[in-house]
Amino acid sequence: MKKIILATDFSKGAAKAEEMAIAIAKIHIAEIVLLYCSTPTYVDPTMPGGMVVILDDGNEKLFEDKLTAKARSIQEQGVRTSYKQSTGSVTEGIKSLIEEQEADFVIMGKTGATGFLEKLIGSTTEYVINNIKIPLLVVPEMAKSVKIDRIQYATELEYDENEILAEVFGIAKKLKAGVDLVNVSSDKQLDLVDNSKLIAGIKETFPNEKFDVKSVRSNRVENAILELSENQENTALVVASHHRGFLDGILKPSVSKSIIAKTTVPTFVYHFE
């Protein structure tokens, strides 16, 4: 692990994401790249041009100072840190920085004064997730821990999921965490494939990987997944998206969106073509 992009809006939600980034960076001697995206000044047609320049310069200097102070604070904790300020949407800012940096993943806080959650599960972020090539780690403000000992991937155990499982095992190895495959079945779900056969296939495909399977029966899938993750300390969730649309992955899109909106544990979002 070399670099972690930390998108910040200087809110309480971003502070928890910062704690997580620092904890991970310390373990892996990785660099944190801070990113702040500022919104361009609205130009009133009646406002003198010189005043617009002054406002923009003032805002840019304000957040430049904040980024400098934040980077210095993280460096004092023993983590290499750089930063970048960009003008425009979080979407474009993250995508641009990913293209510049060879980062392992992006970390964002789930809540904040500028509405990071809305940006995360709104239409603009569908573009972000469907275009970035590295995982996004969403850290809720209410997360109890910034340590990750277990990674839980929710699965219906009905389809070939080797592509996402390869990523799950990969990030678990980087974080030195164990893996749980969480199978939540409901009365409405069609059991098309024998779970034992799929599990045997996973073991055959990934012979060197260790994982546990946790089975839960509930007609409220997202609640069951959230309850299980929240009752286990130092846990992170994983959800996946595909090119068909935002979080249109193995789990139903509505379930995956609901998980991100409600979770109080860190959640990795992966995108696949």
Side-chain angles (χ1 to χ4, degrees):
M1 187 175 297
K2 297 179 180 179
K3 290 185 180 180
I4 299 167
I5 295 174
L6 174 60
T8 182
D9 61 354
F10 305 105
S11 68
K12 291 182 180 179
K16 182 62 71 170
E18 178 184 325
E19 289 180 41
M20 174 71 75
I22 292 171
I24 294 173
K26 281 184 175 181
I27 293 173
H28 300 282
I29 317 178
E31 177 184 350
I32 291 176
V33 184
L34 283 168
L35 172 66
Y36 175 75
C37 301
S38 58
T39 304
T41 301
Y42 168 73
V43 180
D44 186 331
T46 65
M47 182 181 292
M51 188 175 294
V52 175
V53 174
I54 292 172
L55 286 173
D56 277 338
D57 288 348
N59 287 336
E60 185 174 341
K61 180 64 166 60
L62 172 65
F63 290 110
E64 180 84 15
D65 290 345
K66 284 189 173 185
L67 280 169
T68 301
K70 183 68 68 179
R72 185 183 302 115
S73 173
I74 296 174
Q75 287 171 342
E76 289 173 352
Q77 297 178 62
V79 177
R80 288 181 296 124
T81 311
S82 59
Y83 66 85
K84 179 176 181 180
Q85 179 179 357
S86 67
T87 301
S89 68
V90 176
T91 302
E92 291 299 333
I94 290 176
K95 185 182 177 185
S96 175
L97 192 55
I98 286 173
E99 292 173 352
E100 295 175 15
Q101 305 283 344
E102 293 184 1
D104 291 271
F105 51 86
V106 178
I107 298 181
M108 293 175 65
K110 180 178 145 182
T111 62
T114 56
F116 263 37
L117 177 57
E118 286 72 21
K119 292 176 183 177
L120 178 65
I121 61 175
S123 59
T124 56
T125 302
E126 177 171 349
Y127 176 78
V128 176
I129 293 177
N130 288 341
N131 281 273
I132 65 174
K133 305 301 181 184
I134 61 177
L136 171 66
L137 175 57
V138 183
V139 183
E141 181 180 350
M142 300 302 293
K144 297 177 182 178
S145 174
V146 294
K147 185 179 180 182
I148 299 177
D149 290 331
R150 304 292 300 180
I151 291 179
Q152 293 186 346
Y153 174 58
T155 171
E156 293 180 323
L157 287 178
E158 292 292 338
Y159 312 98
D160 181 343
E161 302 175 60
N162 288 340
E163 188 177 13
I164 177 62
L165 286 173
E167 296 293 341
V168 171
F169 290 132
I171 199 66
K173 190 170 295 183
K174 286 183 178 181
L175 296 175
K176 299 178 181 179
V179 174
D180 295 328
L181 303 186
V182 180
N183 174 228
V184 181
S185 57
S186 68
D187 295 335
K188 300 177 182 179
Q189 178 182 323
L190 295 177
D191 192 6
L192 302 176
V193 181
D194 186 343
N195 290 355
S196 61
K197 290 184 178 179
L198 273 175
I199 293 170
I202 294 170
K203 290 180 177 179
E204 183 177 351
T205 304
F206 302 99
N208 299 321
E209 305 296 346
K210 294 182 179 180
F211 61 91
D212 293 330
V213 178
K214 297 188 176 183
S215 298
V216 180
R217 190 159 190 84
S218 173
N219 288 327
R220 303 183 67 181
V221 176
E222 66 270 24
N223 287 359
I225 293 169
L226 291 171
E227 183 177 347
L228 188 62
S229 64
E230 290 166 0
N231 286 337
Q232 182 169 316
E233 293 183 354
N234 306 333
T235 295
L237 285 171
V238 172
V239 294
S241 71
H242 290 264
H243 71 280
R244 295 186 299 275
F246 179 57
L247 294 181
D248 186 9
I250 301 301
L251 285 180
K252 296 178 178 62
S254 59
V255 172
S256 296
K257 277 191 177 184
S258 180
I259 286 172
I260 290 184
K262 296 178 181 178
T263 184
T264 59
V265 302
T267 302
F268 283 97
V269 182
Y270 285 84
H271 170 70
F272 294 94
E273 297 295 339

